[in-house]
Amino acid sequence: MAALGVLALLLLAACGGPRAAGQKRKEMVLSEKVNQLMEWASKRSVIRMNGDKFRRFVKAPPRNYSVIVMFTALQPHRQCVVCKQADEEYQILANSWRYSSAFTNKIFFAMVDFDEGSDVFQMLNMNSAPTFINFPAKGKPKRGDTYELQVRGFAAEQLARWVADRTDVNIRVIRPPNYAGPLMLGLLLAVIGGLVYLRGSNLDFLYNKTGWAFAALCFVLAMTSGQMWNHIRGPPYAHKNPHTGQVSYIHGSSQAQFVAETHIVLLFNGGVTLGMVLLHEAATSDLDVGKRKIMCIAGIGLVVLFFSWLLSVFRSKYHGYPYRYMILLSETGSVRFGCSRGEARGLKLVYNS
């Protein structure tokens, strides 16, 4: 019986030995990968990866950590303006995590540039940049692990919410101090204080209804043109096609816009407003009939012209809109999200811009 017991123990050891050795080897590989990533992260919040590093640390098991990867094209000859802007926000997010007291090896931030890892783009059948993908600790990325850049924009706060949703890691975004706002506020207060000091004996200008009405109108026009959207989303000013050199100022999607587009819309709204003011003055002023007729004709012309252009912009963004006015802008300059194209090594790359 003793001999049988010894034989059974030997059989168990023979069967469990390779499995235990394999498990131990896997743990050693995982430990090496985590230590290497932690070393890189200590030097740079966003780890730059080529094809070999991506396959080893992101794709290949074992892995007990999540990796947020930004696929981008930052080289100057790619002319991807939005890639640079998205990279700035991504760096803010990664730095906020790296210098947070809650920093762990549960999640890492990485980047694959097209010119350094075009084989990765081919491997993933990816043809757009910038693109953010979460590679979870277990399994392959699912649909929700690809960030919806067109819908959410690339602000660091929006990326942080998405990361929290996919990894349960909450990152408090801490932006570098920006002194432009306080300086402008201080300058404004200084100007107001100077005016009050110089005209201390006559403050009637503070009760000027026309001045306050003009200031309020400027504020309303700025807000209705989309300035707040630009502040939140940080879009590029315009888009230049790298092949044709054509510059587009109107975005072809209803889900996005360029900064130049808000300026154009502000101008058009201002033109319509000026036309309405002229019509009002023509009807209520005490000027002679000839001048009032000129003001009426000018007001009608401004309203028709600028309102037509506003409808034209609306039609270029909301395709299929059935109504139009009198004058249409050319829609050849409108672009869809991710319209500029570049080719490298047989792979077609579309930059979201």
Side-chain angles (χ1 to χ4, degrees), residues 40-306:
W40 286 336
S42 65
K43 298 177 181 178
R44 180 180 292 179
S45 300
V46 177
I47 303 170
R48 298 186 70 97
M49 290 188 172
N50 54 22
D52 293 336
K53 290 181 180 179
F54 179 83
R55 280 185 285 270
R56 180 184 174 190
F57 292 94
V58 179
K59 292 289 290 183
R63 192 175 72 248
N64 64 352
Y65 50 85
S66 298
V67 185
I68 307 296
V69 182
M70 175 185 178
F71 298 91
T72 187
L74 294 175
Q75 296 302 317
H77 66 275
R78 299 296 175 190
Q79 298 183 351
C80 183
V81 177
V82 72
C83 292
K84 298 178 181 179
Q85 296 174 336
D87 177 62
E88 293 176 0
E89 295 295 312
Y90 191 56
Q91 295 287 345
I92 290 174
L93 176 64
N95 285 330
S96 298
W97 170 243
R98 172 64 186 85
Y99 297 104
S100 169
S101 59
F103 175 74
T104 64
N105 57 13
K106 185 178 180 180
I107 181 175
F108 295 96
F109 291 88
M111 174 192 300
V112 177
D113 192 281
F114 178 75
D115 291 281
E116 299 174 2
S118 59
D119 53 335
V120 179
F121 281 75
Q122 293 177 339
M123 180 199 314
L124 300 177
N125 294 322
M126 185 178 301
N127 63 349
S128 64
T131 298
F132 300 91
I133 299 180
N134 168 49
F135 292 86
K138 296 181 180 179
K140 298 180 179 180
K142 300 178 182 178
R143 184 175 182 180
D145 287 314
T146 299
Y147 182 70
E148 297 177 338
L149 186 65
Q150 299 183 30
V151 178
R152 299 188 178 189
F154 48 73
E157 290 78 8
Q158 295 289 345
L159 288 169
R161 295 189 187 98
W162 171 69
V163 169
D165 179 59
R166 306 311 304 175
T167 65
D168 293 328
V169 174
N170 293 297
I171 302 175
R172 180 188 174 189
V173 176
I174 301 176
R175 292 184 174 275
N178 184 359
Y179 301 104
L183 286 176
M184 291 300 296
L185 179 60
L187 179 61
L188 178 61
L189 294 176
V191 171
I192 295 175
L195 289 174
V196 172
Y197 176 77
L198 293 175
R199 303 192 61 176
S201 59
N202 184 9
L203 299 179
D204 292 340
F205 71 96
L206 293 177
Y207 303 95
N208 189 316
K209 294 182 179 180
T210 303
W212 285 108
F214 181 77
L217 180 61
C218 292
F219 178 78
V220 170
L221 290 177
M223 293 298 103
T224 55
S225 66
Q227 293 295 333
M228 188 56 64
W229 194 94
N230 291 339
H231 179 74
I232 296 173
R233 297 296 183 89
Y237 186 81
H239 169 75
K240 182 178 181 181
N241 191 307
H243 297 292
T244 64
Q246 182 181 10
V247 179
S248 299
Y249 301 100
I250 305 296
H251 203 295
S253 170
S254 61
Q255 303 296 324
Q257 67 182 23
F258 297 133
V259 174
E261 183 177 333
T262 64
H263 298 163
I264 293 172
V265 172
L266 188 150
L267 174 64
F268 291 173
N269 283 329
V272 173
T273 303
L274 178 60
M276 298 300 295
V277 170
L278 288 177
L279 288 174
H280 177 268
E281 290 297 319
T284 60
S285 67
D286 297 328
L287 298 175
D288 59 81
V289 177
K291 292 182 178 180
R292 291 168 64 183
K293 285 183 178 180
I294 294 175
M295 293 174 64
C296 181
I297 294 173
I300 293 175
L302 288 173
V303 171
V304 170
L305 179 66
F306 286 104

Side-chain angles (χ1 to χ4, degrees), residues 305-335:
L305 179 66
F306 286 104
F307 189 71
S308 297
W309 285 347
L310 275 175
L311 276 184
S312 180
V313 172
F314 189 83
R315 282 171 56 86
S316 69
K317 298 179 71 65
Y318 291 84
H319 307 286
Y321 183 71
Y323 304 107
R324 65 180 66 187
Y325 204 34
M326 295 179 62
I327 305 170
L328 290 177
L329 287 174
S330 172
E331 297 181 7
T332 57
S334 62
V335 296

